[in-house]
Coordinates of all heavy atoms in Angstrom, one line a residue:
L27 N -32.5 48.8 -13.1 CA -32.8 47.5 -13.1 C -32.5 46.9 -11.8 O -33.3 46.0 -11.2 CB -32.1 46.7 -14.2 CG -32.4 45.2 -14.3 CD1 -33.9 44.9 -14.5 CD2 -31.5 44.6 -15.4
M28 N -31.3 47.3 -11.1 CA -30.9 46.9 -9.9 C -32.0 47.0 -8.8 O -32.4 46.3 -8.1 CB -29.8 47.4 -9.5 CG -29.2 47.2 -8.0 SD -28.5 48.4 -7.2 CE -29.4 49.9 -7.1
C29 N -32.6 48.3 -8.9 CA -33.6 48.8 -7.9 C -34.9 47.8 -8.0 O -35.6 47.7 -6.9 CB -34.0 50.2 -8.2 SG -32.7 51.5 -7.7
V30 N -35.2 47.3 -9.1 CA -36.4 46.4 -9.3 C -36.2 45.2 -8.3 O -37.1 45.0 -7.4 CB -36.4 45.8 -10.6 CG1 -37.5 44.7 -10.7 CG2 -36.8 47.0 -11.6
F31 N -35.0 44.5 -8.3 CA -34.8 43.4 -7.5 C -34.5 43.7 -6.0 O -34.9 43.1 -5.0 CB -33.6 42.5 -8.0 CG -33.9 42.2 -9.4 CD1 -33.2 42.7 -10.5 CD2 -34.9 41.2 -9.8 CE1 -33.4 42.3 -11.8 CE2 -35.2 40.9 -11.0 CZ -34.4 41.5 -12.1
F32 N -33.9 44.9 -5.8 CA -33.6 45.3 -4.4 C -34.9 45.9 -3.7 O -34.8 46.1 -2.5 CB -32.6 46.4 -4.3 CG -31.1 45.9 -4.5 CD1 -30.6 45.1 -5.5 CD2 -30.3 46.0 -3.4 CE1 -29.4 44.6 -5.5 CE2 -29.0 45.5 -3.4 CZ -28.5 44.8 -4.4
C33 N -35.9 46.1 -4.4 CA -37.2 46.5 -4.0 C -38.2 45.4 -3.9 O -39.5 45.7 -3.6 CB -37.7 47.7 -4.5 SG -36.7 49.3 -4.2
G34 N -37.9 44.2 -4.3 CA -38.7 43.1 -4.2 C -39.6 42.7 -5.4 O -40.4 41.9 -5.5
G35 N -39.1 43.5 -6.5 CA -39.8 43.2 -7.9 C -39.2 41.9 -8.5 O -38.3 41.4 -8.0
S36 N -40.0 41.5 -9.6 CA -39.5 40.2 -10.3 C -39.4 40.3 -11.7 O -39.1 39.4 -12.3 CB -40.7 39.2 -9.9 OG -41.9 39.7 -10.4
C37 N -39.7 41.5 -12.3 CA -39.6 41.6 -13.8 C -39.4 43.2 -14.0 O -39.5 44.0 -13.2 CB -40.9 41.3 -14.4 SG -42.4 42.2 -14.1
V38 N -38.8 43.4 -15.2 CA -38.4 44.7 -15.6 C -39.6 45.7 -15.4 O -39.5 46.9 -15.1 CB -38.0 44.8 -17.0 CG1 -37.6 46.2 -17.6 CG2 -36.7 43.8 -17.2
E39 N -40.8 45.3 -15.8 CA -42.0 46.2 -15.8 C -42.4 46.8 -14.5 O -43.0 47.9 -14.4 CB -43.3 45.5 -16.4 CG -43.2 45.2 -17.9 CD -42.2 44.1 -18.3 OE1 -41.8 43.3 -17.5 OE2 -41.9 44.2 -19.6
D40 N -41.8 46.2 -13.4 CA -42.1 46.6 -12.0 C -41.6 48.1 -11.8 O -42.2 48.8 -11.0 CB -41.7 45.7 -11.0 CG -42.4 44.4 -10.9 OD1 -43.6 44.5 -11.4 OD2 -41.9 43.4 -10.5
V41 N -40.5 48.4 -12.5 CA -39.9 49.7 -12.2 C -40.9 50.8 -12.7 O -40.9 51.9 -12.0 CB -38.6 49.9 -13.0 CG1 -38.7 50.0 -14.4 CG2 -37.8 51.0 -12.5
S42 N -41.7 50.5 -13.7 CA -42.6 51.6 -14.2 C -43.9 51.5 -13.4 O -44.6 52.5 -13.0 CB -42.8 51.5 -15.7 OG -41.7 51.8 -16.4
T43 N -44.4 50.3 -13.2 CA -45.8 50.1 -12.6 C -45.8 50.3 -11.2 O -46.8 50.8 -10.6 CB -46.2 48.8 -13.0 OG1 -45.5 47.7 -12.6 CG2 -46.5 48.6 -14.5
H44 N -44.7 50.1 -10.5 CA -44.7 50.0 -8.9 C -43.8 51.0 -8.3 O -44.0 51.5 -7.2 CB -44.7 48.6 -8.4 CG -45.7 47.7 -9.0 ND1 -47.0 47.9 -8.7 CD2 -45.6 46.6 -9.6 CE1 -47.7 46.9 -9.2 NE2 -46.8 46.1 -9.9
L45 N -42.6 51.1 -8.8 CA -41.5 51.6 -8.1 C -41.1 53.1 -8.6 O -40.4 53.7 -7.8 CB -40.2 50.8 -8.3 CG -40.4 49.5 -7.8 CD1 -39.3 48.5 -8.2 CD2 -40.6 49.5 -6.2
M46 N -41.5 53.5 -9.7 CA -41.0 54.8 -10.3 C -41.2 56.0 -9.2 O -40.3 56.7 -9.1 CB -41.7 55.1 -11.6 CG -41.0 56.4 -12.2 SD -39.3 56.3 -12.7 CE -39.4 55.2 -14.1
R47 N -42.4 56.1 -8.7 CA -42.6 57.3 -7.9 C -41.8 57.2 -6.6 O -41.6 58.4 -5.9 CB -44.1 57.4 -7.5 CG -44.6 56.3 -6.6 CD -46.1 56.5 -6.5 NE -46.7 55.5 -5.6 CZ -47.0 55.7 -4.2 NH1 -46.6 56.9 -3.8 NH2 -47.5 54.7 -3.6
H48 N -41.3 56.2 -6.1 CA -40.5 56.0 -4.9 C -39.0 56.3 -5.3 O -38.4 57.1 -4.6 CB -40.8 54.7 -4.4 CG -42.1 54.3 -3.9 ND1 -42.7 54.9 -2.8 CD2 -42.9 53.4 -4.5 CE1 -43.9 54.4 -2.8 NE2 -44.1 53.5 -3.7
L49 N -38.6 55.7 -6.4 CA -37.2 55.8 -6.8 C -36.9 57.2 -7.3 O -35.7 57.8 -7.0 CB -36.8 54.9 -7.9 CG -37.0 53.3 -7.5 CD1 -36.7 52.5 -8.7 CD2 -36.1 53.0 -6.3
S50 N -38.0 57.9 -7.8 CA -37.7 59.3 -8.2 C -37.6 60.3 -7.2 O -37.3 61.4 -7.5 CB -38.8 59.7 -9.2 OG -38.9 58.8 -10.4
C51 N -37.7 59.9 -6.0 CA -37.7 60.8 -4.8 C -36.2 61.2 -4.6 O -36.0 62.3 -4.0 CB -38.1 60.1 -3.6 SG -39.9 59.9 -3.5
H52 N -35.2 60.4 -5.1 CA -33.9 60.7 -4.8 C -33.5 62.1 -5.6 O -33.9 62.2 -6.7 CB -32.9 59.6 -5.4 CG -31.5 59.8 -4.9 ND1 -30.6 60.8 -5.3 CD2 -30.9 59.0 -4.0 CE1 -29.4 60.6 -4.7 NE2 -29.6 59.6 -3.8
P53 N -32.9 62.9 -5.0 CA -32.7 64.3 -5.6 C -31.8 64.4 -6.7 O -31.8 65.4 -7.4 CB -32.3 65.3 -4.4 CG -31.7 64.2 -3.4 CD -32.4 63.0 -3.5
K54 N -30.9 63.5 -6.7 CA -29.9 63.6 -7.9 C -29.9 62.3 -8.9 O -29.8 62.6 -10.1 CB -28.5 63.6 -7.2 CG -28.2 65.0 -6.7 CD -26.8 65.2 -6.3 CE -26.4 66.5 -6.1 NZ -24.9 66.7 -5.7
L55 N -30.1 61.2 -8.4 CA -30.0 60.0 -9.2 C -31.3 59.7 -10.0 O -32.3 59.6 -9.3 CB -29.6 58.8 -8.4 CG -28.3 58.9 -7.5 CD1 -27.9 57.6 -6.8 CD2 -27.1 59.2 -8.5
R56 N -31.2 59.5 -11.2 CA -32.3 59.3 -12.1 C -32.6 57.9 -12.3 O -31.8 56.9 -12.3 CB -32.2 60.0 -13.5 CG -31.8 61.5 -13.4 CD -31.7 62.0 -14.9 NE -30.7 61.3 -15.7 CZ -30.7 61.5 -17.0 NH1 -31.5 62.3 -17.7 NH2 -29.6 60.9 -17.7
T57 N -34.0 57.6 -12.3 CA -34.5 56.2 -12.7 C -35.2 56.2 -14.0 O -36.0 57.1 -14.2 CB -35.3 55.7 -11.5 OG1 -34.6 55.7 -10.3 CG2 -35.8 54.4 -11.9
C58 N -34.9 55.3 -14.9 CA -35.5 55.2 -16.2 C -36.7 54.3 -16.2 O -36.8 53.5 -15.3 CB -34.5 54.8 -17.3 SG -33.8 53.1 -17.2
S59 N -37.5 54.3 -17.2 CA -38.6 53.5 -17.2 C -38.3 52.0 -17.8 O -37.2 51.8 -18.2 CB -39.6 54.0 -18.3 OG -39.0 54.0 -19.6
A60 N -39.3 51.2 -17.8 CA -39.1 49.8 -18.2 C -38.7 49.8 -19.7 O -37.9 49.0 -20.2 CB -40.3 48.9 -17.9
D61 N -39.5 50.5 -20.4 CA -39.2 50.7 -21.9 C -37.7 51.1 -22.3 O -37.1 50.5 -23.2 CB -40.1 51.7 -22.5 CG -41.6 51.2 -22.6 OD1 -41.7 49.9 -22.4 OD2 -42.5 52.1 -22.7
T62 N -37.1 52.0 -21.5 CA -35.8 52.3 -21.7 C -34.8 51.2 -21.3 O -33.9 51.0 -22.1 CB -35.4 53.5 -20.8 OG1 -36.3 54.6 -21.2 CG2 -34.0 54.0 -21.1
I63 N -35.0 50.5 -20.3 CA -34.3 49.3 -20.0 C -34.3 48.3 -21.1 O -33.3 47.7 -21.5 CB -34.7 48.6 -18.6 CG1 -34.5 49.6 -17.5 CG2 -34.0 47.3 -18.3 CD1 -35.1 49.2 -16.2
L64 N -35.4 48.0 -21.5 CA -35.6 47.0 -22.7 C -35.0 47.4 -24.0 O -34.4 46.6 -24.6 CB -37.2 46.7 -23.0 CG -37.9 46.1 -21.8 CD1 -39.4 46.0 -22.0 CD2 -37.4 44.7 -21.5

C-alpha cells in the first residue's frame, strides 16, 4: 500500500492495474495485489 502513494497512485487498485510489474522487479521483497490489501 505504501508503494501506491510513493509511486504517485491515488487508490488501492493502482497497485494491481499500474504498478505490479514494476514493484515485482525487486528480487526479494514481494508485492501483493489490491484484492489482498482490501
Side-chain angles (χ1 to χ4, degrees):
L27 181 60
M28 176 215 57
C29 290
V30 170
F31 304 110
F32 276 65
C33 291
S36 59
C37 62
V38 175
E39 287 74 16
D40 286 339
V41 72
S42 293
T43 56
H44 302 303
L45 299 172
M46 183 63 75
R47 68 185 183 93
H48 302 289
L49 301 175
S50 298
C51 292
H52 197 287
K54 283 194 171 182
L55 302 180
R56 303 186 302 171
T57 300
C58 66
S59 68
D61 289 341
T62 302
I63 296 173
L64 294 172

